[in-house]
């Protein structure tokens, strides 16, 4: 009976040890997978930020180009408007800006 008890105890102890060992191995695998996932996630975030910065730079470049183009067009318009003749306010039938006589 003592031998059987010792066997049972040793068997139970071996089972406990093996189960703890398996738990430790599973925990290590889980830690490794988590670290890999975290590394991948951080790389994705870095890539996303990089793309956002590139888009922002493109947007700023487009705005700058648009602004310079509009300034150029405005300057051309100013030059052209100086050369245009002024409208005749006191033309035929409108002395002092009001209508005289019949239509």
């Amino acid at each position: 009976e003592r031998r059987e008890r010792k066997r049972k105890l040793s068997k139970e102890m071996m089972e406990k040890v093996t189960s703890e060992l398996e738990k430790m191995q599973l925990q290590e695998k889980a830690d490794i997978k988590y670290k890999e996932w975290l590394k991948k996630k951080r790389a994705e975030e870095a890539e996303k930020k990089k793309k956002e910065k590139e888009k922002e730079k493109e947007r700023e470049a487009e705005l700058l180009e648009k602004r310079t183009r509009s300034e150029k067009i405005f300057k051309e318009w100013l030059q052209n408007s100086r050369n245009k003749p002024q409208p005749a306010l006191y033309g035929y039938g409108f002395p002092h800006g009001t209508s005289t006589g019949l239509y």
Side-chain angles (χ1 to χ4, degrees), residues 19-69:
S19 66
E20 287 178 13
L21 233 161
E22 287 175 359
K23 285 181 183 177
M24 288 175 59
Q25 288 175 347
L26 286 173
Q27 186 66 32
E28 287 177 6
K29 286 181 182 179
D31 287 342
I32 291 171
K33 285 185 179 183
Y34 174 74
K35 287 178 183 177
E36 289 175 359
W37 175 83
L38 190 63
K39 189 176 182 181
K40 183 180 175 183
K41 196 72 170 173
R42 286 182 179 163
E44 287 175 359
E45 287 178 6
E47 187 70 25
K48 189 176 180 182
K49 285 182 181 179
K50 187 178 179 181
K51 286 182 180 179
E52 286 178 4
K53 283 184 180 181
E54 288 176 4
K55 284 183 181 179
E56 187 66 29
K57 284 182 181 180
E58 288 177 6
R59 203 175 303 132
E60 288 177 5
E62 287 176 4
L63 285 174
L64 182 64
E65 183 180 332
K66 187 176 180 181
R67 187 177 295 133
T68 54
R69 192 181 323 126

Side-chain angles (χ1 to χ4, degrees), residues 1 3 29 31 39 69 86 93 96 99 103:
E1 291 180 22
R3 288 181 185 172
K29 286 181 182 179
D31 287 342
K39 189 176 182 181
R69 192 181 323 126
Q86 295 293 325
H96 307 292
S99 176
Y103 292 106

